[in-house]
Amino acid sequence: MDFANSLTRWYLKNKRDLPWRNTKDPYLIWLSEIMLQQTRVAQGTPYYYAFKEAFPTVFDLANASEEQVLKLWQGLGYYSRARNLHKTAQYVAVQLNGEFPKTYNELLKLNGVGSYTAAAIASFSYNEDVPVVDGNVFRVLSRFFDVETDIASSSAKKEFTELAKELLSKNDSAIFNQAIMEFGALQCIPKNPNCFNCVLNSSCLALQKKKVNQLPVNLKKLKVVKRYFNYLVFSDNAKNTLIQKRTEKGIWHNLYEFPLIESLQVLESEDFQIQLHQQKFIDNAIISFEEFNSISRVHKLSHQHLYIKFWKVNVDGILNQGIDYLTLQSFPFPIVLFNFIEKDWN
């Protein structure tokens, strides 16, 4: 079986009509690839359209403020991507006069651009013969060729890249790369793929050996940390509240949030009262507090589970640096806080 030709024929018949496939503009391809890192196509597509409309060129993105970029990115997660996106746009606009590098090796030098993204841009924009290796490609190749290398190992990326390079259709790398990734996304899916209707089933070693659901091998154990967030939703006589910017490194860097008490476990009312009075958040006298409509959430990130409570804290007088509800909505928040502000507060 000619692996590359079979994949290409399948792709041309079954491919999705995705907006970034209708351009060779490296700016738009870069934009889409950064957005789709660890993000489903269905989730990322509306953000792609929003960014394309707000920032049609790399100069527009470079001239935006970081808060504008983060606000538009709100809800897409992994916010370091947005910060890197903005920094890279500024570098390309100012240092490279708006021209993206035209080779894989030069693209790798851009901030936030790793081997996968560099290969995608080089292949899709400039048709450079370089393989694109993502999770879909790992899965397709490991199953078809019965490769048992742990994809979490240090040697896996090099091994699979070399294998993909051998299969790459010379002078037509863009089609092959799109085809193998699309095949992994639509046909050779992670769990219980429909191998009966697969165009590669006659030569797939994993299918022959009944190992489809065992491949690819991934022995990495993700350690999930539990954290307990108690957000203080202050409210003064003018119905103003307080927010703060997360400046420390870690999750939600440079996004906004309410004043926070992070505890070692779930706080009940009495424990919260002790913490509230121990930490000096405001000069105003506290009139009352209560758990906000008994709203409690578990917000799951890739490596952290956040147990979140919102506490309404009524205070006397007017808060220093307090803001009203309308102003509040203009700031970029983590999506779990944004949803609270939009749906549950007021």
Side-chain angles (χ1 to χ4, degrees):
M1 169 183 283
D2 188 321
F3 180 85
N5 283 338
S6 296
L7 268 186
T8 300
R9 286 195 299 270
W10 175 92
Y11 173 72
L12 294 175
K13 183 179 179 180
N14 296 281
K15 66 177 180 176
R16 292 169 289 182
D17 183 18
L18 302 177
W20 46 86
R21 287 181 176 159
N22 301 319
T23 181
K24 288 188 175 295
D25 184 342
Y27 167 66
L28 295 177
I29 291 171
W30 164 73
L31 191 63
S32 70
E33 292 299 337
I34 298 296
M35 287 182 169
L36 293 177
Q37 291 171 6
Q38 298 174 292
T39 298
R40 293 176 292 106
V41 166
Q43 183 186 11
T45 301
Y47 286 88
Y48 172 81
Y49 281 122
F51 267 76
K52 184 181 177 183
E53 181 177 354
F55 314 119
T57 70
V58 71
F59 295 103
D60 297 308
L61 180 54
N63 290 330
S65 69
E66 185 180 88
E67 284 194 6
Q68 286 178 294
V69 175
L70 289 173
K71 183 64 178 176
L72 205 57
W73 193 274
Q74 185 174 263
L76 198 56
Y78 299 98
Y79 290 91
S80 61
R81 293 180 298 169
R83 294 190 296 271
N84 285 334
L85 188 84
H86 191 222
K87 291 176 183 175
T88 300
Q90 292 174 328
Y91 175 80
V92 172
V94 176
Q95 302 299 325
L96 304 180
N97 298 316
E99 294 288 332
F100 274 79
K102 292 181 169 57
T103 67
Y104 170 78
N105 288 330
E106 289 299 314
L107 285 160
L108 275 176
K109 297 176 183 179
L110 296 179
N111 190 34
V113 173
S115 58
Y116 163 77
T117 304
I121 300 170
S123 172
F124 304 151
S125 291
Y126 308 118
N127 208 32
E128 183 177 348
D129 289 332
V130 54
V132 174
V133 179
D134 68 350
N136 290 315
V137 176
F138 275 130
R139 188 164 57 256
V140 173
L141 294 180
S142 67
R143 286 173 174 172
F144 188 83
F145 294 100
D146 187 24
V147 181
E148 294 186 335
T149 301
D150 177 10
I151 63 172
S153 68
S154 58
S155 62
K157 189 63 178 285
K158 182 178 180 181
E159 180 179 350
F160 279 90
T161 298
E162 288 301 317
L163 177 56
K165 194 172 184 178
E166 291 176 17
L167 300 165
L168 197 66
S169 301
K170 304 305 179 186
N171 301 317
D172 205 9
S173 64
I175 290 291
F176 174 82
N177 284 328
Q178 293 279 17
I180 192 169
M181 290 194 295
E182 190 79 334
F183 191 79
L186 300 183
Q187 174 64 44
C188 196
I189 57 178
K191 294 183 179 179
N192 302 316
N194 185 356
C195 297
F196 178 76
N197 287 328
C198 177
V199 296
L200 302 180
N201 59 15
S202 64
S203 301
C204 177
L205 294 181
L207 182 60
Q208 293 173 13
K209 298 179 181 181
K210 298 181 179 180
K211 295 170 62 177
V212 170
N213 287 326
Q214 299 170 31
L215 295 172
V217 175
N218 188 351
L219 301 179
K220 183 179 180 180
K221 298 291 183 180
L222 184 65
K223 183 179 180 181
V224 176
V225 176
K226 293 182 178 180
R227 300 176 71 180
Y228 300 89
F229 284 11
N230 299 271
Y231 281 114
L232 282 60
V233 185
F234 288 110
S235 181
D236 66 13
N237 293 344
K239 302 300 182 184
N240 291 333
T241 193
L242 288 178
I243 59 173
Q244 62 190 19
K245 193 173 187 178
R246 288 183 68 94
T247 55
E248 68 273 16
K249 297 298 183 182
I251 63 168
W252 302 338
H253 179 63
N254 282 357
L255 296 179
Y256 286 81
E257 63 182 357
F258 298 106
L260 171 66
I261 295 174
E262 184 170 354
S263 55
L264 298 176
Q265 58 190 13
V266 174
L267 287 186
E268 301 303 335
S269 184
E270 291 182 2
D271 297 320
F272 174 76
Q273 183 176 15
I274 293 171
Q275 292 272 10
L276 177 61
H277 288 285
Q278 282 180 343
Q279 302 188 42
K280 189 67 173 176
F281 289 100
I282 56 173
D283 295 325
N284 306 62
I286 295 173
I287 299 173
S288 64
F289 70 87
E290 61 182 332
E291 191 176 335
F292 214 108
N293 296 333
S294 298
I295 296 168
S296 183
R297 293 181 172 84
V298 180
H299 188 61
K300 295 182 178 180
L301 305 175
S302 60
H303 58 295
Q304 300 182 35
H305 287 179
L306 309 181
Y307 294 79
I308 297 174
K309 280 189 176 185
F310 296 92
W311 298 83
K312 185 175 183 180
V313 184
N314 296 306
V315 302
D316 192 23
I318 301 298
L319 289 163
N320 183 30
Q321 296 184 330
I323 60 174
D324 60 25
Y325 183 75
L326 189 61
T327 305
L328 184 73
Q329 293 176 302
S330 67
F331 288 87
F333 288 92
I335 194 62
V336 65
L337 272 76
F338 175 76
N339 287 340
F340 166 77
I341 292 167
E342 288 285 296
K343 300 174 183 178
D344 301 309
W345 189 27
N346 283 351

